[in-house]
Amino acid sequence: MRQVREKCLWSQAMTHRELVPYLVEESAELIDAVEREDRAELREELGDLLWQVLFHAAIAAQDPDDPFDIDDVARTLTEKMTRRHPHVFGDAVARTPEEVLVHWNAAKAAEKRERRSVLDGIPPGMPALARAQKILGRAAKVGAGISGSPAADASASEEEPPPAIVGPTPAPALDDAPVDESALGERLLELVATARAHGWDAERALRERVRILEDEVRAAEAGN
């Protein structure tokens, strides 16, 4: 990374902001490799994402006002993970994953004392479905949510998710279809609440269903 920054004119010109599109793309490619269970791609995409971390750290090291390098990044991460795992590095006890989360959330709350809202810290740039699901989770902590939707308050462990639907999905009946974008937004939020109630990942569900659609499109193209 040091050699690239020293000798590559394009890399020398890059800033944190200009690298963001590449970070988004590499993250998406890694997610795709994970969900397709492609081990070779997973190895490659982990490397590409690591390169983005190294790249940002190299840029940060040259900041004239507040420089830090990859060692500082690793040190900060180590300190944070040590604090958040008192059952590993301290005397706390956690016998179940749920008890682990209690320690994690307590440590995180102590770190983020300056936050005034449960919504603080949720990135505005998250994909809409994932952001909606996260906000619904935070909303439940203060007794808010979608009024009249029992799914919003249901336990994620009450029942197992049904088998994935494979093949073309019929469009909703005309009288059930949203009449405008506002109604569509309401329907989507209700579906995200249902996903959260069952412990499903709304963003992943749509990604995987779109992959099936892509396969159908390619199959149709091959048949023509």
Side-chain angles (χ1 to χ4, degrees):
M1 185 71 250
R2 280 192 291 268
Q3 291 188 56
V4 167
R5 285 285 288 176
E6 290 172 3
K7 300 177 182 179
C8 174
L9 295 179
W10 182 88
S11 298
Q12 290 173 6
M14 284 295 99
T15 66
H16 291 298
R17 184 178 294 272
E18 289 168 334
L19 274 182
V20 166
Y22 302 98
L23 177 60
V24 171
E25 181 178 350
E26 298 298 353
S27 299
E29 290 177 352
L30 174 59
I31 291 168
D32 185 60
V34 169
E35 294 180 347
R36 288 189 294 105
E37 298 183 354
D38 188 322
R39 299 287 295 175
E41 285 292 320
L42 176 61
R43 182 172 61 248
E44 180 178 349
E45 297 305 337
L46 281 169
D48 289 346
L49 192 58
L50 176 59
W51 183 256
Q52 291 296 308
V53 175
L54 294 170
F55 208 151
H56 278 282
I59 293 172
Q62 296 176 328
D63 187 277
D65 301 317
D66 184 20
F68 60 83
D69 60 17
I70 191 64
D71 289 330
D72 296 314
V73 172
R75 187 178 303 109
T76 300
L77 176 61
T78 299
E79 292 169 353
K80 178 193 289 187
M81 291 302 106
T82 301
R83 287 195 306 273
R84 293 191 182 182
H85 291 81
H87 54 291
V88 175
F89 300 102
D91 298 328
V93 176
R95 297 183 177 86
T96 66
E98 290 74 20
E99 290 179 354
V100 170
L101 287 179
V102 170
H103 293 306
W104 176 277
N105 290 330
K108 188 173 181 179
E111 295 168 9
K112 309 295 182 181
R113 292 192 186 92
E114 73 281 1
R115 290 183 176 176
R116 296 293 177 263
S117 168
V118 295
L119 301 181
D120 289 348
I122 300 178
M126 283 181 71
L129 290 177
R131 188 165 186 262
Q133 192 156 349
K134 197 167 190 68
I135 287 176
L136 283 171
R138 299 283 182 89
K141 295 180 179 180
V142 294
I146 301 176
S147 59
S149 174
D153 300 319
S155 170
S157 60
E158 286 181 353
E159 62 179 279
E160 291 298 315
I165 298 173
V166 179
T169 302
L174 186 60
D175 55 356
D176 292 331
V179 296
D180 54 28
E181 282 194 3
S182 177
L184 176 62
E186 290 288 342
R187 180 68 58 81
L188 289 171
L189 190 57
E190 290 171 3
L191 288 172
V192 172
T194 299
R196 177 179 171 271
H198 289 82
W200 303 334
D201 185 322
E203 195 76 35
R204 181 174 62 224
L206 182 57
R207 279 198 307 269
E208 293 184 348
R209 185 60 186 86
V210 170
R211 285 196 188 100
I212 294 172
L213 176 60
E214 289 175 327
D215 291 341
E216 293 169 355
V217 170
R218 292 191 174 96
E221 290 174 332
N224 292 335

